[in-house]
Coordinates of all heavy atoms in Angstrom, one line a residue:
E1 N -99.0 -44.4 -109.4 CA -98.8 -44.2 -110.8 C -97.3 -43.8 -111.0 O -96.9 -43.0 -110.1 CB -99.8 -43.1 -111.4 CG -99.8 -41.9 -110.7 CD -100.9 -40.9 -111.3 OE1 -102.0 -41.4 -111.3 OE2 -100.5 -39.8 -111.7
S2 N -96.7 -44.3 -111.8 CA -95.2 -44.1 -112.1 C -95.1 -42.9 -112.9 O -95.9 -42.5 -113.7 CB -94.6 -45.2 -112.6 OG -95.0 -45.6 -113.9
D3 N -93.8 -42.3 -112.8 CA -93.5 -41.2 -113.7 C -92.9 -41.6 -115.1 O -92.6 -40.8 -115.9 CB -92.5 -40.3 -113.0 CG -93.1 -39.7 -111.8 OD1 -94.3 -39.3 -111.8 OD2 -92.3 -39.4 -110.8
G4 N -92.9 -42.9 -115.2 CA -92.4 -43.4 -116.5 C -92.3 -45.0 -116.6 O -92.7 -45.6 -115.5
P5 N -92.1 -45.6 -117.8 CA -92.2 -47.0 -117.7 C -91.4 -47.9 -116.9 O -91.7 -48.8 -116.4 CB -91.9 -47.4 -119.3 CG -91.3 -46.1 -119.8 CD -91.6 -45.0 -119.0
L6 N -90.2 -47.3 -116.5 CA -89.3 -48.0 -115.7 C -89.2 -47.4 -114.3 O -88.4 -47.8 -113.4 CB -87.9 -48.0 -116.4 CG -87.7 -48.8 -117.8 CD1 -86.5 -48.7 -118.2 CD2 -88.3 -50.1 -117.6
A7 N -90.0 -46.3 -114.0 CA -89.8 -45.7 -112.8 C -90.8 -46.3 -111.7 O -91.8 -46.9 -112.0 CB -90.4 -44.3 -112.9
S8 N -90.3 -46.3 -110.4 CA -91.1 -46.7 -109.4 C -92.1 -45.8 -109.0 O -92.2 -44.6 -109.4 CB -90.2 -47.1 -108.2 OG -89.6 -45.9 -107.7
F9 N -93.2 -46.3 -108.1 CA -94.2 -45.4 -107.7 C -93.6 -44.3 -106.9 O -92.8 -44.6 -105.9 CB -95.3 -46.2 -106.9 CG -96.1 -47.1 -107.7 CD1 -96.5 -48.3 -107.1 CD2 -96.3 -46.7 -109.0 CE1 -97.3 -49.1 -107.9 CE2 -97.2 -47.6 -109.8 CZ -97.7 -48.9 -109.2
P10 N -93.9 -43.0 -107.1 CA -93.3 -41.9 -106.4 C -93.9 -41.8 -105.0 O -95.0 -42.2 -104.9 CB -93.7 -40.7 -107.2 CG -95.0 -41.2 -107.9 CD -94.8 -42.6 -108.2
P11 N -93.2 -41.3 -104.0 CA -93.7 -41.1 -102.7 C -94.8 -40.0 -102.6 O -94.8 -39.1 -103.4 CB -92.5 -40.7 -101.8 CG -91.6 -40.2 -102.9 CD -91.8 -40.8 -104.1
A12 N -95.8 -40.2 -101.7 CA -96.7 -39.2 -101.6 C -96.4 -38.0 -100.7 O -96.8 -36.9 -100.8 CB -98.1 -39.8 -101.1
L13 N -95.5 -38.3 -99.8 CA -95.1 -37.5 -98.7 C -93.6 -37.0 -98.9 O -92.9 -37.9 -99.2 CB -95.3 -38.1 -97.3 CG -96.7 -38.5 -96.9 CD1 -96.6 -39.1 -95.5 CD2 -97.6 -37.3 -97.0
S14 N -93.4 -35.8 -98.6 CA -92.0 -35.3 -98.8 C -91.2 -35.4 -97.4 O -90.0 -35.2 -97.4 CB -92.0 -33.8 -99.1 OG -92.7 -33.0 -98.3
R15 N -92.1 -35.7 -96.3 CA -91.4 -35.8 -94.9 C -92.3 -36.6 -94.1 O -93.6 -36.8 -94.5 CB -91.1 -34.4 -94.3 CG -92.4 -33.5 -94.2 CD -92.0 -32.2 -93.5 NE -93.1 -31.2 -93.6 CZ -94.1 -31.2 -92.8 NH1 -94.2 -32.1 -91.7 NH2 -95.1 -30.3 -92.9
E16 N -91.8 -36.9 -92.9 CA -92.8 -37.7 -92.0 C -93.9 -36.7 -91.5 O -93.6 -35.4 -91.3 CB -91.9 -38.2 -90.8 CG -91.1 -39.3 -91.1 CD -90.3 -39.8 -89.8 OE1 -90.4 -39.2 -88.9 OE2 -89.6 -40.9 -89.8
V17 N -95.0 -37.3 -91.3 CA -96.1 -36.5 -90.9 C -96.6 -37.3 -89.6 O -97.1 -38.5 -89.7 CB -97.2 -36.3 -91.9 CG1 -98.5 -35.5 -91.3 CG2 -96.8 -35.6 -93.1
W18 N -96.6 -36.6 -88.5 CA -97.2 -37.2 -87.3 C -97.6 -36.2 -86.3 O -97.5 -34.9 -86.5 CB -96.0 -38.0 -86.5 CG -94.7 -37.1 -86.3 CD1 -93.7 -36.9 -87.1 CD2 -94.5 -36.4 -85.0 NE1 -92.8 -36.0 -86.5 CE2 -93.3 -35.8 -85.2 CE3 -95.2 -36.2 -83.9 CZ2 -92.7 -35.0 -84.2 CZ3 -94.7 -35.4 -82.9 CH2 -93.3 -34.8 -83.1
G19 N -98.4 -36.6 -85.2 CA -99.0 -35.6 -84.4 C -100.1 -36.3 -83.7 O -100.3 -37.5 -83.6
T20 N -101.0 -35.4 -83.1 CA -102.3 -35.9 -82.4 C -103.5 -35.6 -83.4 O -103.5 -34.7 -84.2 CB -102.6 -35.1 -81.1 OG1 -101.4 -35.3 -80.3 CG2 -103.7 -35.7 -80.5
V21 N -104.4 -36.6 -83.4 CA -105.6 -36.5 -84.4 C -106.3 -35.2 -84.1 O -106.3 -34.8 -82.9 CB -106.5 -37.7 -84.4 CG1 -105.7 -38.9 -84.8 CG2 -107.0 -37.8 -83.0
A22 N -106.8 -34.6 -85.2 CA -107.6 -33.3 -85.0 C -108.9 -33.6 -84.2 O -109.4 -32.7 -83.5 CB -107.8 -32.7 -86.3
A23 N -109.4 -34.8 -84.4 CA -110.7 -35.2 -83.8 C -110.8 -36.7 -84.1 O -110.1 -37.2 -85.0 CB -111.8 -34.6 -84.3
P24 N -111.6 -37.4 -83.3 CA -111.7 -38.9 -83.6 C -112.2 -39.1 -85.1 O -113.2 -38.5 -85.5 CB -112.7 -39.4 -82.7 CG -112.6 -38.5 -81.5 CD -112.2 -37.1 -82.0
G25 N -111.4 -39.9 -85.8 CA -111.8 -40.1 -87.3 C -111.1 -39.1 -88.2 O -111.5 -39.1 -89.4
R26 N -110.2 -38.1 -87.8 CA -109.9 -37.1 -88.6 C -108.3 -36.8 -88.4 O -107.9 -36.6 -87.4 CB -110.6 -35.8 -88.4 CG -110.2 -34.7 -89.2 CD -110.9 -33.3 -88.8 NE -110.6 -32.1 -89.4 CZ -111.0 -31.7 -90.6 NH1 -111.9 -32.3 -91.2 NH2 -110.5 -30.6 -91.1
I27 N -107.6 -36.8 -89.6 CA -106.2 -36.6 -89.6 C -105.9 -35.4 -90.5 O -106.4 -35.4 -91.8 CB -105.3 -37.8 -90.0 CG1 -105.4 -38.9 -88.9 CG2 -103.8 -37.4 -90.1 CD1 -104.9 -40.2 -89.3
E28 N -105.1 -34.3 -90.2 CA -104.9 -33.2 -91.0 C -103.5 -33.3 -91.4 O -102.7 -33.4 -90.7 CB -105.3 -32.1 -90.3 CG -106.8 -31.8 -89.9 CD -107.0 -30.5 -89.2 OE1 -106.1 -29.7 -88.9 OE2 -108.2 -30.1 -88.9
V29 N -103.3 -33.1 -92.8 CA -102.0 -33.1 -93.5 C -101.8 -31.8 -94.1 O -102.5 -31.6 -95.1 CB -102.0 -34.3 -94.4 CG1 -100.5 -34.4 -95.0 CG2 -102.3 -35.7 -93.6
P30 N -100.8 -31.1 -93.9 CA -100.5 -29.9 -94.5 C -99.9 -30.2 -95.9 O -99.3 -31.1 -96.1 CB -99.4 -29.1 -93.7 CG -98.7 -30.3 -92.9 CD -99.9 -31.3 -92.7
V31 N -100.4 -29.3 -96.8 CA -100.1 -29.5 -98.2 C -98.5 -29.4 -98.4 O -97.8 -30.1 -99.2 CB -100.7 -28.5 -99.0 CG1 -100.2 -28.6 -100.5 CG2 -102.2 -28.7 -99.2
S32 N -97.8 -28.7 -97.5 CA -96.3 -28.6 -97.6 C -95.6 -29.9 -97.4 O -94.5 -30.1 -97.7 CB -96.0 -27.6 -96.6 OG -96.3 -28.0 -95.2
A33 N -96.4 -30.9 -96.7 CA -95.8 -32.2 -96.7 C -96.0 -33.2 -97.8 O -95.5 -34.3 -97.8 CB -96.4 -32.9 -95.4
L34 N -96.7 -32.7 -98.8 CA -96.9 -33.6 -100.1 C -95.9 -33.3 -101.1 O -95.3 -32.3 -101.2 CB -98.4 -33.3 -100.6 CG -99.5 -33.3 -99.6 CD1 -100.8 -33.0 -100.3 CD2 -99.6 -34.8 -99.0
T35 N -95.7 -34.4 -101.8 CA -94.6 -34.2 -102.9 C -95.2 -33.6 -104.2 O -94.4 -33.0 -105.1 CB -94.0 -35.6 -103.2 OG1 -95.2 -36.5 -103.7 CG2 -93.3 -36.3 -102.1
R36 N -96.6 -33.7 -104.2 CA -97.2 -33.1 -105.5 C -98.7 -32.9 -105.2 O -99.2 -33.4 -104.2 CB -97.1 -34.1 -106.7 CG -97.7 -35.5 -106.4 CD -97.2 -36.6 -107.4 NE -95.8 -36.7 -107.1 CZ -95.0 -37.3 -108.1 NH1 -95.5 -37.6 -109.3 NH2 -93.7 -37.5 -107.9
H37 N -99.4 -32.3 -106.2 CA -100.9 -32.1 -106.0 C -101.5 -33.5 -106.2 O -101.3 -34.2 -107.3 CB -101.5 -31.2 -106.9 CG -102.9 -30.8 -106.6 ND1 -103.2 -30.2 -105.4 CD2 -104.0 -31.0 -107.3 CE1 -104.6 -30.0 -105.5 NE2 -105.0 -30.4 -106.6
L38 N -102.3 -34.0 -105.3 CA -102.8 -35.4 -105.3 C -104.3 -35.5 -105.9 O -104.7 -36.6 -106.0 CB -102.7 -36.0 -103.9 CG -101.3 -36.2 -103.4 CD1 -101.3 -36.8 -102.1 CD2 -100.3 -37.0 -104.3
K39 N -104.9 -34.5 -106.1 CA -106.3 -34.5 -106.4 C -106.5 -35.5 -107.7 O -105.9 -35.3 -108.7 CB -106.9 -33.2 -106.9 CG -108.3 -33.1 -107.3 CD -108.9 -31.8 -107.7 CE -110.1 -31.9 -108.2 NZ -110.7 -30.5 -108.6
G40 N -107.6 -36.4 -107.6 CA -107.7 -37.4 -108.5 C -106.8 -38.5 -108.8 O -107.0 -39.5 -109.4
R41 N -105.8 -38.5 -107.9 CA -104.7 -39.7 -107.9 C -105.0 -40.7 -106.8 O -105.5 -40.4 -105.8 CB -103.3 -39.0 -107.6 CG -102.9 -38.0 -108.7 CD -101.6 -37.5 -108.3 NE -101.1 -36.4 -109.2 CZ -100.3 -36.6 -110.2 NH1 -99.8 -37.8 -110.5 NH2 -99.9 -35.5 -111.1
K42 N -104.8 -42.0 -107.3 CA -104.9 -43.0 -106.2 C -103.6 -43.1 -105.4 O -102.5 -43.3 -106.1 CB -105.3 -44.3 -106.9 CG -105.4 -45.5 -105.9 CD -105.7 -46.9 -106.6 CE -107.0 -46.9 -107.2 NZ -107.5 -48.2 -107.7
C43 N -103.7 -43.2 -104.2 CA -102.5 -43.3 -103.3 C -102.7 -44.4 -102.3 O -103.9 -44.6 -101.9 CB -102.3 -41.9 -102.5 SG -102.0 -40.6 -103.5
R44 N -101.7 -45.0 -101.9 CA -101.7 -46.0 -100.8 C -101.2 -45.3 -99.6 O -100.0 -45.0 -99.5 CB -101.0 -47.3 -101.3 CG -101.1 -48.3 -100.1 CD -100.6 -49.6 -100.5 NE -100.6 -50.6 -99.2 CZ -101.8 -51.3 -99.1 NH1 -102.9 -51.1 -99.8 NH2 -101.9 -52.1 -98.0

């Protein structure tokens, strides 16, 4: 979802997130790595 009619889709992450999976099927992302609160938003 864009921030305006001519704006591009904003990034979901503020930095690269990488590491080892917490468990098979589970990846943990700290909120500090997000650009905004994402609840209810569709992200790719």
Side-chain angles (χ1 to χ4, degrees):
E1 56 183 55
S2 63
D3 294 328
L6 300 179
S8 60
F9 288 151
L13 302 178
S14 60
R15 58 178 172 83
E16 290 185 350
V17 178
W18 55 273
T20 301
V21 298
R26 178 184 173 91
I27 295 171
E28 296 181 351
V29 182
V31 170
S32 60
L34 305 179
T35 58
R36 63 196 66 201
H37 191 63
L38 299 178
K39 177 182 174 180
R41 300 175 185 264
K42 179 184 285 189
C43 300
R44 181 171 180 82

